[in-house]
Amino acid sequence: MTALSEDLDQFKWSQRDKEGNALDGYYPMGGVVSLVVGSPGTSALSRCESIIKESTNYALDKDIDGLIFQYGPRAGSCEFRYNLANWLNEQYQDPNAPVHMDDLIASTGATNGLYYAASLLFKSGTPVFIEDPTYFIAIDILRRDLGMNIVPVPMTSEGTDTELLDKLLTEYRKKHPDIVLTKERPFWSMLYIIPTHNNPTGRCISPEKAKRLVEIARKHDILIFCDDVYNMLHYKEGPPPRRLLSYDIKTDPDYKGHVLSNGTFSKILSPGIRLGWQEAPPRIVEILNNSGNMWSGGCVNHYISTVVGGAIKLGLLTKHLNFVRSKLSENLHAVSDILRQHKEYIKFQQPEGGYFMWLELPESVNTTKLKDFVQKYKITFHPGEMSSPEKKRRQNCIRISISYYEKEELCRAVTTLCQAIEEYIKAN
């Protein structure tokens, strides 16, 4: 096989067959309805062309001397960070903990933000604490790619089990007296958490748990890395839950800055533009900004961040986000209505936002085997054990996505899945 044909083979993920089915195992393929997909759907993405066109024209018209095509300031342009800070403040509606532009750094999305921060702040072999269940690819990034020692911490209905975390941190710190804190590495460990509309459960951390986590982080000198990718996708009236970073109050006498908020435009606009942001305290911003990667390359996505800054300024992003919220809220409520009709076999807690729903089946059900069983109905889903750092846990659970399909197709698939679950349980 030639190098060119190998490249084309790798590129097939973006192609479609004659029936319009995407050609890979993650996205729908061969008529299969994939309840795995955690991406915006066609109705949302089809709106992006006009948004990007209008924002591009706006950005180019404002450009002076072609600076939009330069490397760009390391953290992102002042205009982008100023517009982003103002927009985040409008969305968060939290006047007691406003976002400041100097605390923002552009990224190429949440995945890049995690990889970049974790690789700069910690060495391979570092014990990293991670809530269970959690985003399954984050487990791979930290364990496989970066060589971290993953320590799972179970979730309660209100968030991370903080008292167990406190005990584990004390225990593991004694095992690692060799980790010395420096200005470049001010933390000996990290907690990875999705505090708002958690993937996969959809749960939000309670205010009491959030306050306690900040206390624990300060006590033990750890970083709390918050994957805040679903904060804007809140479907109830009023402001979304406070981001965990807002509990790390700058006016506290013992404040140093122990929380990083990792955001992305992938879920609220487009994953293809590869743009996100990190909100962090000054000592972390300094470390990220002064890395060799930033020093050499400047802003990681200067052109697109300038374009998206235009979308914010023109009000296009807010209008689009309102559309996405409305569509996903409809999907969430429609799917919840279907699941309630099968409560004999399926337990769930309806989330108030995000992309995912977490279903608990009877303990006797192995959802990895169930996934094979439902293939005949051309449906696939995410088995619960994939979301746990410890395999063979959460084996009776399922994660389903509500983000990708239109309501009618999604409801048909969920109805079929529920019927298949009932059939499987009765046969076993």
Side-chain angles (χ1 to χ4, degrees), residues 133 155-159 194-205 349 351 358 360 394:
M155 287 182 68
T156 71
S157 61
E158 295 185 337
I194 308 172
T196 305
H197 307 311
N198 164 274
N199 173 5
T201 67
R203 296 173 187 157
C204 296
I205 193 169
Q349 180 180 339
W358 186 244
E360 294 185 28
R394 321 285 178 183

Side-chain angles (χ1 to χ4, degrees), residues 51-70 79 302-311 314:
I51 294 171
I52 296 300
K53 279 183 177 178
E54 186 173 347
S55 304
T56 298
N57 290 334
Y58 175 83
L60 291 174
D61 287 344
K62 284 176 61 65
D63 185 41
I64 300 173
D65 297 331
L67 290 179
I68 192 174
F69 301 109
Q70 263 296 0
E79 184 173 8
H302 178 55
Y303 177 83
I304 289 296
S305 66
T306 305
V307 170
V308 172
L314 295 170

Side-chain angles (χ1 to χ4, degrees), residues 70-184:
Q70 263 296 0
Y71 283 105
R74 281 174 274 177
S77 71
C78 289
E79 184 173 8
F80 167 67
R81 290 182 291 118
Y82 176 81
N83 288 334
L84 177 59
N86 286 340
W87 185 77
L88 290 173
N89 284 324
E90 290 174 4
Q91 299 303 318
Y92 290 147
Q93 300 178 53
D94 188 1
N96 294 321
V99 180
H100 297 284
M101 61 176 287
D102 291 340
D103 295 338
L104 295 174
I105 297 178
S107 73
T108 59
T111 301
N112 162 258
L114 173 60
Y115 194 99
Y116 183 57
S119 61
L120 273 180
L121 295 169
F122 303 100
K123 295 180 180 179
S124 178
T126 298
V128 170
F129 300 81
I130 186 165
E131 64 184 354
D132 182 5
T134 192
Y135 176 43
F136 68 107
I137 297 179
I139 301 170
D140 283 344
I141 291 171
L142 295 170
R143 175 184 284 155
R144 185 187 63 198
D145 296 357
L146 298 178
M148 306 293 190
N149 176 21
I150 301 298
V151 183
V153 184
M155 287 182 68
T156 71
S157 61
E158 295 185 337
T160 307
D161 186 335
T162 50
E163 298 319 302
L164 177 58
L165 174 64
D166 192 16
K167 292 176 183 177
L168 288 170
L169 288 168
T170 300
E171 174 187 335
Y172 275 82
R173 187 60 173 124
K174 290 178 181 177
K175 294 179 181 179
H176 294 273
D178 54 313
I179 301 179
V180 179
L181 305 189
T182 65
K183 183 180 178 182
E184 291 73 27

Side-chain angles (χ1 to χ4, degrees), residues 267-287:
K267 309 299 186 185
I268 58 177
L269 182 59
S270 158
I273 62 174
R274 305 314 307 141
L275 183 66
W277 69 90
Q278 292 185 312
E279 181 188 3
R283 61 174 175 167
I284 298 178
V285 170
E286 182 180 359
I287 294 168

Side-chain angles (χ1 to χ4, degrees), residues 239-256:
R242 285 175 58 184
R243 67 199 191 285
L244 200 149
L245 183 145
S246 72
Y247 293 90
D248 196 13
I249 300 170
K250 292 183 176 181
T251 55
D252 287 348
D254 58 343
Y255 174 83
K256 293 181 181 178

